[in-house]
């Protein structure tokens, strides 16, 4: 093995060389398994380190540990006696007789330095683990992929077989209770062997189980030959049997040399062979043969062909240890997954959300294949690359790993203590996927937006997968929680109504800016709208109603809660009755003017100049051509905050310039306007006048109409003009050259750009003219 001489590994190697000279006089197996000492673990929150802390505690040592983060595991261990420090301080080494450190710890860590300086023995995690294993009959599970699942399966099967194995596995294993356990009653110790840092060579097990060998961890190993050398040493140091996957060429070649080898797999030559494999949704069924003789049928309740393969390895091992096949089969059938291994986060007939730890191209391909086999319509994947070094080394393989996904969103790289490599990011992988010919791959550099990209693309029948060894599962959990609410909303609005997650509000505002709506809902009738109001009240969800989004500036972080868009159905109805016109909240104000014209009614021509819907027009008492909405309103119908309908006549309503307080907490359903009989040519000429005014004084670009209310002293547009601010800009937000009270989006502007420009105008008006401008446009939502 030739460790690459760079970065943190070089530093870690220094630490290892240091400890060697210190530890030699110490009989580590004796020290750890027969005596009781004070032991300090540096980096105790790591998934492997916490297991070790648990074992050392169970062995009766006084264990202390330091880490910059605390986890549920460290909290559990504290209840069992671990003394935990949330920082690394040199003083922690003072009382310790042995210091154990994780591979993620740098050699300048103060506890490590203090331990070395004071001449204490300092050992790596795997060294301590190997020493513990010496006290039992060790079984090491090694390989690039499937170690955690297979070690958990082995420990589970041996446990059900009454062998009382001790175990050490690198993740939380619900079915085993904990990630590590010392059972004084049993002879065997099952451990997951980590090849990533070259410590496989610490183990001298009785048996080993080799799952697969290929290029991985190229930050540590120079090439495949170096990796094979590390596995070769483990094989040589195995005193009993080497169980190995015969279907993996590298493993088969390497293990063939072993004096006592037992093979497993699908191949005809396997000592333990699986055939007739049937994958059904989340279970697999297969027949098992030993040296050509049928042992029986097995069922596995974890999905994927690769897990059938892993189970064959466990069957071979347990059988050779003397466990009868029937017993093995029963316990395999009861086996449940480790956390983050095809873990179902949400399941219904409509959607399936699954989290998986896959972070190597081979694992990704296997997981996507399993996802495909569930028979759902589409597979949407969110992938978080893990480590810059792996992203760089395996970029081509990653590009080819996503063929089974219909859509892929890639986040930035999860560094796992690595410094960035210039030019390597999530985009690197997207480029490779696209070069490979996949059409639906995109890069999302804002981690907290990943669930939005996938959630907004979600359709009935979809399976969503989160893939990666970092924290991508958090994004899936957010999606799962929101999906629960979205499904309830869907039940309320029924088949006709629409519910969408994370709908970009830039699609629904005339300004074309704004982040996503957490829940976008389009009810079709008043009764449903009322139910939505009550649901939001009961669930403590904010509710915001949006019409055509013409007078709205939504911040880049979008709107939390439910955004109701009453557009179709009852809300789109318009009726003329004598001199009165009743229009639903979703009707365009402009259409009211044209409905009046069709009935030879006049007085509403000014409405032609309002770009919004009736609901919004009422809400802000919109105006044009010197007229305003409530001059023509006879009555309105609205829902209160309990979802109850009310009708109010004009004289019961309090209305101001561009402000109608009642609709600040209630929701418009419809309004009735009055008009007067008029000659068609008079109506047409007034409509033309309004159109002409718009055409000549207002920009055609994307805007939210007038940004500021007109101050009493001067129209805002004129003021901005006089201040010389036309065409001033922030990013792609620009003050229109046509009208000073319009800010236009030149394409791709953000809400932050808009808000900054608004602030600049306000401060100029304040400083130069002493005028306090007030925005007319409604500004809502969360900062981006
Ligand atoms: N003016 C300038 N420079 C400019 C813009 C305007 O000197 O860049 C002058 C105009 O020449 C005019 C005066 O300012 O003498 C007022 O301008 P305008 O007639 O265009 O009307 P406004 O007060 O700016 C109002 C409404 C508009 C509506 C128009 C047309 C407000 C805040 N604005 O604009 O409504 O379309 O009248 O009727 O009340 C909206 O509410 O979003 C909106 C666009």
């Amino acid at each position: 093995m030739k460790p690459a001489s760079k970065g943190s590994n070089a530093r870690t190697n220094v630490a290892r060389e240091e400890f060697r000279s210190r530890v030699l006089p110490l009989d580590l197996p004796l020290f750890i398994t027969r005596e009781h000492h004070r032991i300090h673990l540096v980096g105790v929150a790591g998934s492997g380190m916490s297991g070790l802390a648990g074992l050392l505690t169970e062995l009766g040592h006084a264990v202390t540990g330091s880490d910059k983060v605390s986890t549920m595991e460290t909290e559990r261990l504290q209840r069992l006696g671990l003394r935990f420090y949330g920082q690394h301080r040199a003083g922690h080494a003072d009382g310790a007789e042995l210091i154990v450190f994780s591979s993620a710890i740098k050699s300048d860590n103060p506890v490590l330095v203090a331990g070395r300086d004071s001449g204490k023995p300092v050992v790596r995690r795997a060294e301590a683990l190997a020493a513990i294993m010496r006290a039992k009959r060790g079984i090491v599970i090694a390989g690039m992929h499937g170690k955690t699942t297979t070690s958990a399966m082995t420990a589970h099967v041996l446990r059900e077989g009454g062998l009382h194995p001790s175990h050490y596995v690198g993740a939380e294993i619900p079915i085993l209770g904990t990630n590590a356990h010392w059972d004084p009653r049993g002879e065997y110790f099952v451990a997951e062997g980590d090849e990533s840092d070259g410590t496989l060579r610490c183990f001298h097990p009785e048996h080993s189980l080799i799952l697969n060998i290929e290029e991985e961890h190229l930050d540590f190993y120079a090439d495949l030959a170096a990796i094979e050398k590390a596995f070769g040493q483990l094989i040589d140091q195995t005193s009993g049997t080497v169980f190995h996957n015969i279907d993996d060429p590298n493993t088969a070649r390497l293990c063939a040399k072993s004096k006592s080898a037992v093979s497993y797999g699908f191949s005809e030559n396997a000592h333990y062979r699986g055939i007739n494999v049937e994958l059904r949704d989340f279970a697999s069924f297969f027949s098992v043969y030993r040296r050509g003789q049928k042992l029986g049928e097995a069922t596995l309740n974890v999905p994927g062909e690769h897990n059938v393969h892993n189970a064959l390895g466990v069957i071979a091992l347990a059988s050779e240890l003397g466990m009868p096949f029937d017993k093995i089969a029963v316990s395999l059938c009861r086996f449940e997954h480790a956390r983050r291994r095809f873990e179902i986060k949400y399941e219904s007939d409509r959607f399936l959300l699954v989290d998986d730890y896959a972070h190597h191209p081979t694992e990704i391909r296997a997981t996507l294949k399993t996802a495909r086999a569930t028979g759902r319509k589409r597979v949407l994947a969110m992938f978080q690359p893990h480590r810059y070094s792996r992203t760089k080394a395996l970029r081509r393989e990653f590009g080819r790993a996503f063929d089974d996904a219909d859509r892929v969103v890639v986040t930035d790289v999860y560094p796992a203590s690595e410094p960035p490599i210039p030019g390597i990011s999530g985009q690197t992988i997207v480029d490779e996927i696209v070069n490979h010919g996949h059409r639906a791959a995109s890069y999302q550099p804002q981690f907290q937006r990943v669930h939005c990209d996938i959630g907004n693309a979600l359709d009935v029948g979809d399976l969503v997968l989160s893939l990666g060894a970092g924290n991508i599962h958090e994004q899936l959990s957010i999606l799962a929680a929101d999906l629960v609410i979205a499904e309830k909303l869907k039940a309320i609005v029924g088949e006709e109504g629409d519910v969408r997650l994370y709908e970009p509000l830039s699609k629904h505002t005339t300004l074309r800016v704004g982040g996503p709506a957490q829940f976008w809902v389009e009810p079709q009738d008043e009764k449903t709208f009322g139910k939505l109001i009550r649901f939001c009240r009961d669930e403590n969800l904010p509710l915001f109603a949006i019409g055509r989004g013409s007078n709205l500036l939504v911040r880049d972080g979008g709107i939390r809660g439910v955004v109701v868009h009453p557009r179709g159905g009852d809300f789109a109805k318009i009726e003329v009755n004598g001199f009165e016109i009743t229009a639903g909240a979703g009707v365009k104000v402009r259409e009211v003017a044209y409905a009046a014209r069709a009935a030879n009614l006049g007085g509403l021509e000014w409405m032609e100049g309002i770009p919004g819907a009736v609901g919004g027009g009422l809400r802000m008492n919109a105006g044009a051509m010197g007229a305003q909405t409530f001059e023509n309103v006879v009555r309105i119908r609205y829902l209160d905050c309990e979802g109850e309908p009310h009708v109010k006549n004009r004289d019961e309503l309090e209305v101001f310039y561009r402000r109608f307080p009642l609709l600040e907490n209630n929701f418009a359903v419809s309004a009735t306007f009055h008009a007067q009989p008029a000659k068609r040519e008079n109506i047409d000429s007034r409509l033309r006048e309004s159109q002409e005014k718009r055409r000549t004084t207002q920009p055609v670009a994307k805007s939210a109409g007038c940004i500021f209310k007109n101050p009493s002293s001067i129209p805002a547009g004129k003021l901005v003009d006089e201040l010389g601010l036309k065409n001033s800009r922030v990013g792609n937000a620009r003050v229109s050259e046509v009208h000073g009270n319009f800010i236009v989006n030149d394409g791709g502007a953000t809400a932050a750009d808009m808000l900054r420009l608004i602030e600049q105008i306000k401060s100029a008006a304040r400083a130069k003219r002493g005028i306090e401008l007030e925005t007319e446009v409604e500004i809502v939502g969360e900062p981006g």
Side-chain angles (χ1 to χ4, degrees):
M1 180 186 60
K2 192 170 102 213
S5 58
K6 60 177 181 208
S8 60
N9 294 307
R11 287 195 294 275
T12 320
N13 288 342
V14 172
R16 185 172 55 198
E17 296 318 317
E18 287 280 340
F19 98 74
R20 271 188 179 170
S21 57
R22 309 270 186 231
V23 81
L24 273 179
L26 189 72
D27 181 339
L28 201 56
L30 181 82
F31 181 95
I32 292 191
T33 63
R34 298 279 151 78
E35 302 168 356
H36 293 162
H37 293 280
R38 278 172 297 177
I39 303 178
H40 184 84
L41 276 66
V42 192
V44 70
S47 61
M49 289 295 278
S50 64
L52 187 62
L55 286 172
L56 294 171
T57 309
E58 285 179 307
L59 281 162
H61 299 286
V63 184
T64 56
S66 50
D67 207 302
K68 56 178 194 268
V69 296
S70 67
T71 61
M72 268 156 62
E73 267 307 289
T74 55
E75 281 164 26
R76 185 182 68 81
L77 289 164
Q78 275 177 281
R79 288 194 292 276
L80 297 178
L82 169 80
R83 184 135 176 227
F84 177 73
Y85 301 98
Q87 277 170 322
H88 298 290
R89 292 255 166 80
H92 300 156
D94 289 352
E97 295 158 87
L98 171 70
I99 292 167
V100 185
F101 67 98
S102 146
S103 297
I105 297 297
K106 308 261 159 57
S107 64
D108 59 358
N109 177 286
V111 192
L112 219 50
V113 171
R116 275 199 309 249
D117 291 352
S118 57
K120 293 197 167 146
V122 178
V123 303
R124 315 185 82 194
R125 175 184 60 93
E127 239 99 10
L129 180 63
I132 295 176
M133 194 186 278
R134 287 283 183 128
K136 298 260 189 195
R137 302 174 70 179
I139 298 169
V140 168
I141 317 291
M144 264 57 196
H145 322 296
K147 285 188 291 293
T148 300
T149 300
T150 313
S151 358
M153 211 187 270
T154 306
H156 165 76
V157 168
L158 298 190
R159 186 187 273 185
E160 297 240 317
L163 297 177
H164 301 290
S166 299
H167 72 264
Y168 170 92
V169 180
E172 272 179 71
I173 310 292
I175 197 167
L176 295 176
T178 53
N179 53 355
H181 176 54
W182 179 261
D183 191 332
R185 295 170 295 178
E187 287 183 293
Y188 289 103
F189 189 105
V190 179
E192 172 178 341
D194 182 6
E195 76 288 351
S196 72
D197 56 0
T199 51
L200 268 186
R201 62 183 185 77
C202 302
F203 297 106
H204 292 77
E206 180 168 327
H207 305 298
S208 49
L209 173 56
I210 316 282
L211 303 167
N212 38 59
I213 300 171
E214 67 169 319
E215 285 198 336
E216 234 299 42
H217 312 297
L218 294 173
D219 56 321
F220 189 83
Y221 296 102
D223 51 22
L224 183 64
I227 295 171
E228 290 190 357
K229 206 169 162 201
F231 278 88
Q233 191 172 352
L234 175 69
I235 292 166
D236 289 345
Q237 289 172 187
T238 301
S239 59
T241 306
V242 176
F243 296 88
H244 66 275
N245 171 4
I246 197 168
D247 300 328
D248 178 59
N250 294 336
T251 309
R253 179 168 38 78
L254 213 62
C255 294
K257 296 176 206 144
S258 162
K259 43 196 181 312
S260 169
V262 169
S263 64
Y264 67 86
F266 299 141
S267 138
E268 233 177 294
N269 304 326
H271 293 129
Y272 284 81
R273 185 181 178 210
I275 60 166
N276 303 330
V277 179
E278 194 191 329
L279 304 175
R280 220 185 287 157
D281 218 4
F282 285 95
S284 312
F285 306 89
F286 54 105
S287 313
V288 184
Y289 283 73
R290 176 170 52 194
R291 296 181 174 87
Q293 287 218 311
K294 186 163 183 179
L295 284 177
E297 305 291 334
T299 302
L300 198 59
N301 282 306
V302 291
E305 196 174 68
H306 56 293
N307 279 321
V308 173
H309 220 275
N310 293 334
L312 286 167
V314 178
I315 291 169
L317 179 103
S319 301
E320 297 289 311
L321 294 188
M323 235 179 112
F325 180 78
D326 293 351
K327 221 166 188 180
I328 298 173
V330 168
S331 55
L332 272 181
C333 185
R334 281 205 280 255
F335 178 67
E336 287 164 24
H337 250 311
R339 296 306 283 275
R340 305 220 50 218
R341 274 37 171 210
F342 220 82
E343 189 181 342
I344 297 173
K345 292 280 189 178
Y346 178 91
E347 188 179 12
S348 74
D349 291 346
R350 289 158 54 87
F351 304 102
L352 180 59
L353 271 55
V354 177
D355 175 48
D356 196 275
Y357 194 66
H359 53 283
H360 182 281
T362 304
E363 295 162 354
I364 292 169
R365 265 198 304 275
T367 303
L368 285 172
K369 192 172 163 204
T370 307
R372 268 267 164 259
T374 62
R376 298 275 166 155
K377 246 192 239 161
R378 296 191 307 171
V379 176
L380 315 181
M382 45 172 103
F383 173 55
Q384 182 184 43
H386 185 259
R387 292 186 180 274
Y388 292 100
S389 55
R390 185 186 286 111
T391 306
K392 187 174 174 205
L394 301 178
R395 56 195 290 174
R396 300 240 142 53
E397 290 79 357
F398 277 119
R400 293 192 289 266
F402 291 90
D403 293 353
D404 269 327
D406 294 281
R407 195 191 159 122
V408 191
V409 177
V410 181
T411 72
D412 224 336
V413 180
Y414 183 85
S417 76
E418 279 187 358
I421 298 176
I424 298 296
S425 72
Q427 185 68 52
T428 314
I429 287 182
V430 170
D431 291 345
E432 295 289 346
I433 298 175
V434 171
N435 286 345
H436 176 60
H438 202 299
R439 280 195 301 266
S442 57
Y443 172 46
Q444 175 51 269
Q446 279 180 281
F447 183 73
Q448 68 283 5
R449 286 282 178 93
V450 176
H451 71 282
C452 298
D453 291 7
I454 290 283
N456 191 239
L458 207 55
D459 210 349
V460 177
D462 285 345
L463 185 159
V464 180
L465 257 183
S466 55
L467 298 165
N471 57 346
I472 187 69
H473 57 288
E474 293 168 7
Q475 287 292 300
L476 192 75
S477 297
I478 297 174
L479 180 60
D482 285 352
L483 195 53
V484 171
I485 294 174
E487 289 292 81
K488 289 183 185 168
L489 290 165
K490 180 66 188 166
I492 293 173
V493 300
E495 267 315 299
E496 322 76 57
D498 198 9
V499 175
R500 269 173 264 168
L501 275 172
Y502 321 125
E503 180 71 354
L505 290 171
S506 55
K507 273 167 65 177
H508 297 277
T509 55
T510 54
L511 196 50
R512 291 283 179 269
V513 301
Q518 191 178 5
F519 306 103
W520 173 267
V521 187
E522 295 184 10
Q524 300 287 306
D525 55 56
E526 180 186 297
K527 219 165 132 202
T528 308
F529 198 166
K531 280 190 200 160
L532 287 171
I533 294 170
R534 283 188 289 278
F535 175 79
C536 289
R537 183 202 55 194
D538 295 346
E539 299 276 329
N540 230 343
L541 280 167
L543 187 152
F544 183 79
I546 175 171
R548 293 182 51 79
S550 62
N551 191 47
L552 203 58
L553 173 44
V554 180
R555 292 194 185 90
D556 300 313
I559 298 181
R560 246 188 301 141
V562 175
V563 175
V564 176
H565 184 49
R567 189 180 57 142
D570 289 354
F571 304 108
K573 285 189 184 150
I574 182 160
E575 244 170 50
V576 181
N577 200 341
F579 299 155
E580 289 184 354
I581 301 168
T582 300
V587 171
K588 291 179 196 165
V589 174
R590 193 165 287 161
E591 283 175 43
V592 179
Y594 288 102
R597 173 186 181 271
N600 289 324
L601 295 172
L604 301 181
E605 297 81 4
W606 65 270
M607 287 185 165
E608 181 282 337
I610 304 289
V614 166
L618 294 170
R619 191 178 155 102
M620 58 146 338
N621 188 17
M625 307 296 286
Q628 51 186 10
T629 304
F630 276 87
E631 288 169 19
N632 294 94
V633 166
V634 183
R635 75 189 82 87
I636 71 161
R637 187 175 172 89
Y638 66 94
L639 296 171
D640 65 17
C641 53
E642 301 288 313
E644 293 302 323
H646 299 270
V647 174
K648 281 227 159 100
N649 292 328
R650 172 67 187 88
D651 53 11
E652 299 171 86
L653 303 171
E654 199 181 19
V655 183
F656 304 94
Y657 168 65
R658 298 290 181 267
R659 194 170 156 243
F660 177 41
L662 182 83
L663 289 187
E664 282 163 18
N665 300 307
N666 300 286
F667 305 92
V669 171
S670 65
T672 303
F673 302 93
H674 70 80
Q676 298 96 35
K679 286 210 178 103
R680 183 64 72 90
E681 58 263 36
N682 293 345
I683 297 172
D684 283 347
S685 100
R686 280 197 292 269
L687 282 172
R688 267 198 306 277
E689 193 190 333
S690 169
Q691 284 160 351
E692 187 61 11
K693 166 120 189 174
R694 263 195 303 126
R695 201 180 58 76
T696 52
T697 65
Q698 296 182 4
V700 278
K702 293 170 226 151
S703 80
C706 285
I707 289 286
F708 300 105
K709 292 180 180 173
N710 280 336
S712 50
S713 54
I714 181 172
K718 192 166 190 217
L719 172 64
V720 175
D721 196 352
E722 287 177 9
L723 288 168
L725 291 175
K726 276 186 166 174
N727 270 328
S728 59
R729 64 161 67 234
V730 173
N732 284 323
R734 182 174 58 86
V735 177
S736 164
E737 74 285 7
V738 183
H739 193 299
N741 202 7
F742 282 69
I743 294 182
V744 296
N745 179 355
D746 280 341
T750 63
D753 294 338
M754 295 284 164
L755 291 167
R756 233 173 309 137
L757 191 50
I758 289 171
E759 275 318 306
Q760 285 178 9
I761 297 169
K762 283 173 89 168
S763 47
R766 193 181 302 127
K768 298 196 177 141
R769 302 288 285 271
I771 296 175
E772 204 54 54
L773 279 174
E774 207 186 313
T775 44
E776 173 188 293
V777 68
E778 192 177 1
I779 301 166
V780 294
E782 312 291 316

